[in-house]
Amino acid sequence: MATVVEGGRDPSGAVTPRPQAPVSGPELANTPLVIRRREDEETVVTFPYLVWREFLAGLAAFVFLMLVSIQINAPLLQRANTSITPNPAKAPWYFVGLQELLERFPPIMAGVAFPSFVIIFMILTPYLDRNPSRRPQDRKVAIVLFTIYLCLAVAFVVIGEFFRGEAFNWDWTLILGHPGLSSPV
Amino acid sequence: MSATPDQANPVRAFVAQLWGSVFRHGLPTNDKVAARTALTNFFLHIHPVRVKKSAVRVSYTLCLGGLSFFLFILLTITGLFLMFYYIPSVDSAYQNVKDLQFVAVFGDIIRNMHRWAAHAMVITVWLHMARVFYQGAYKPPREFNWIIGTFLLLITLLLSFSGYLLPWDQLAIWAITVGTNMAKYAPIVGPYTRYLLLGGDQVAQGALIRFYVLHVIALPLIGFLLMVVHFWRVRKDGFTGGL
């Protein structure tokens, strides 16, 4: 929480009123000139406190990726061949949700209307959400709506990636394996 | 004779001057020196000198924004190495990638790391967006930074998508065929958009060079510019901090 005070502050802590300069727009007139932190809010120097943490996080990410890269090779199939269509042909995993939508809805809805709607809605989010509070208990509607959106997005990607087999038909065997075989094929 | 060590030893004096000309301050043994170091160092200046402790708790940020930026840097560096070997031609691209995987020293690790870091970045950017939403960190005065973040998410997806074609294997060409076929469904502009993106009706040489240029120059530059503005606004608006 920050306490907004008008005017500058001299080293003794007293607030000196700042002469009102002519401003053009209402936004400019309302811009807080000094943001003073409350005394009970504990602050730290970013260097080295924060920079050290960032370094450790980066190092951990690097080590993790290095181990993964040593162990698991990036996929490389046969040379590209337009006359051999793999079955199923799938988009990259983050677009597989979109492919799954196309399977269920008319193309104009799934390929155009839904994605445009999501992007426009995302851009407008801060302007549509007029609730000034950031506390979770005050924003139940926003949190529920966003959670539904996230769950749907993840669900469509998971279905497209793990439950769609030949010709993009529903296929349990991708994760469950064939009955009678000991391991998934 | 009471000469100071610096006067007595010109080498030591030179080293001291060299060090002092690069780093203006000693080790951050107290907050005052630490603050001055942060103020005078270009790279550290990305941060304010002091922040609320609650705003930089790992349990609050989950490091997601920082990790996304770190992965972007890692992808730039590994991508640079890959560019030494890769020629964006349908005749050689696949063989170049094979060479990277099996011939070039550490080529496999560099390529694997580029691939896995790209997938990881899609996930971290996505989770960063979710984190910012759940904490309401897009609320005034940070509305516009949320919009920049939305575009950064789209740039991340496009970067990953354009890179997907480059190995020129069966996975690449058919994923891009399926992906760009989706563009066809847009009314009126759809087929034209697809033609523009592929430089033709099929995923062929025209598409490969377009995706390559987008992947190594255009999209990273746009992304970098958006990132600079994104970080600058975080710096100016301050960290949101505990709820």
Side-chain angles (χ1 to χ4, degrees), chain A residues 18 52 56 69 84 103 106 121 157-158:
Chain A
R18 193 185 144 107
W52 176 241
L56 287 183
S69 302
I84 304 172
E103 194 69 16
F121 216 82
V157 168
V158 168

Side-chain angles (χ1 to χ4, degrees), chain A:
Chain A
M1 282 291 287
T3 313
V4 176
V5 293
E6 290 286 338
R9 191 171 43 147
D10 68 23
S12 68
V15 175
T16 31
R18 193 185 144 107
Q20 284 294 312
V23 282
S24 50
E27 292 88 352
L28 279 176
N30 292 333
T31 302
L33 298 168
V34 173
I35 295 175
R36 188 168 59 191
R37 295 196 174 89
R38 275 210 314 237
E39 269 77 47
D40 57 352
E41 188 96 38
E42 197 186 348
T43 64
V44 289
V45 281
T46 48
F47 178 78
Y49 182 88
L50 175 58
V51 175
W52 176 241
R53 264 143 225 264
E54 286 169 333
F55 173 75
L56 287 183
L59 190 67
F62 180 76
V63 169
F64 173 74
L65 276 170
M66 181 60 93
L67 291 176
V68 170
S69 302
I70 289 171
Q71 286 300 316
I72 312 171
N73 276 339
L76 187 62
L77 308 182
Q78 298 288 306
R79 190 179 184 283
N81 187 343
T82 43
S83 56
I84 304 172
T85 312
N87 193 357
K90 286 188 185 180
W93 62 267
Y94 37 84
F95 287 149
V96 146
L98 215 54
Q99 201 178 351
E100 174 66 24
L101 275 178
L102 279 165
E103 194 69 16
R104 291 163 182 270
F105 297 95
I108 191 74
M109 297 293 288
V112 183
F114 290 162
S116 310
F117 179 77
V118 166
I119 292 173
I120 291 170
F121 216 82
M122 261 185 73
I123 288 173
L124 291 180
T125 296
Y127 306 95
L128 295 171
D129 181 1
R130 312 302 301 176
N131 178 0
S133 173
R134 289 180 49 232
R135 301 188 325 164
Q137 54 267 46
D138 299 337
R139 3 183 352 242
K140 292 199 176 84
V141 177
I143 286 178
V144 166
L145 285 177
F146 188 75
T147 307
I148 291 172
Y149 161 65
L150 273 192
C151 290
L152 280 176
V154 171
F156 276 105
V157 168
V158 168
I159 290 172
E161 194 66 21
F162 300 112
F163 293 91
R164 290 294 186 177
E166 239 173 61
F168 218 68
N169 288 322
W170 194 276
D171 189 354
W172 286 107
T173 60
L174 290 177
I175 53 162
L176 296 181
H178 290 280
L181 294 175
S182 54
S183 61
V185 176

Side-chain angles (χ1 to χ4, degrees), chain A residues 1-2 35 37 41-51 53-86 88-100 102 106-113 118-127 129-139 141-151 153-154 161 168, chain B residues 26 28 31-35 37-38 44 47-58 60 63 66-67 70-71 74 89-92 94 97-98 101-102 108-117 119-120 122-123 126 129-140 142-144 146-147 149-151 153-154 157-162 164 167-171 173-176 178-179 182-183 185-187 202-203 237-243:
Chain A
M1 282 291 287
I35 295 175
R37 295 196 174 89
E41 188 96 38
E42 197 186 348
T43 64
V44 289
V45 281
T46 48
F47 178 78
Y49 182 88
L50 175 58
V51 175
R53 264 143 225 264
E54 286 169 333
F55 173 75
L56 287 183
L59 190 67
F62 180 76
V63 169
F64 173 74
L65 276 170
M66 181 60 93
L67 291 176
V68 170
S69 302
I70 289 171
Q71 286 300 316
I72 312 171
N73 276 339
L76 187 62
L77 308 182
Q78 298 288 306
R79 190 179 184 283
N81 187 343
T82 43
S83 56
I84 304 172
T85 312
K90 286 188 185 180
W93 62 267
Y94 37 84
F95 287 149
V96 146
L98 215 54
Q99 201 178 351
E100 174 66 24
L102 279 165
I108 191 74
M109 297 293 288
V112 183
V118 166
I119 292 173
I120 291 170
F121 216 82
M122 261 185 73
I123 288 173
L124 291 180
T125 296
Y127 306 95
D129 181 1
R130 312 302 301 176
N131 178 0
S133 173
R134 289 180 49 232
R135 301 188 325 164
Q137 54 267 46
D138 299 337
R139 3 183 352 242
V141 177
I143 286 178
V144 166
L145 285 177
F146 188 75
T147 307
I148 291 172
Y149 161 65
L150 273 192
C151 290
V154 171
E161 194 66 21
F168 218 68
Chain B
D31 276 11
K32 211 173 171 186
V33 179
T37 311
L44 295 179
H47 289 312
V49 171
R50 296 193 78 89
V51 282
K52 286 179 280 182
K53 200 169 183 180
S54 66
V56 292
R57 269 205 326 266
V58 173
Y60 179 75
C63 294
L67 278 180
F70 175 79
L71 290 172
L74 192 68
S89 146
V90 293
D91 296 324
S92 57
Y94 182 70
V97 177
K98 276 261 183 212
Q101 199 74 36
F102 297 106
D108 53 347
I109 290 180
I110 295 285
R111 181 173 113 83
N112 294 347
M113 202 183 262
H114 195 76
R115 184 81 170 204
W116 302 134
H119 286 319
V122 172
I123 295 170
W126 189 257
M129 180 200 72
R131 193 281 283 179
V132 167
F133 186 94
Y134 281 122
Q135 288 164 351
Y138 56 83
K139 302 202 172 197
R142 301 181 180 83
E143 308 100 307
F144 187 64
W146 167 269
I147 296 181
T150 307
F151 283 105
L153 172 65
L154 294 176
L157 291 177
L158 289 175
L159 267 169
S160 184
F161 185 66
S162 57
Y164 221 84
W168 203 248
D169 64 344
Q170 281 289 75
L171 188 66
I173 193 168
W174 289 103
I176 301 307
V178 171
M182 292 176 190
Y185 298 119
Q202 274 198 338
V203 182
D237 294 338
F239 298 174
T240 48
L243 296 167

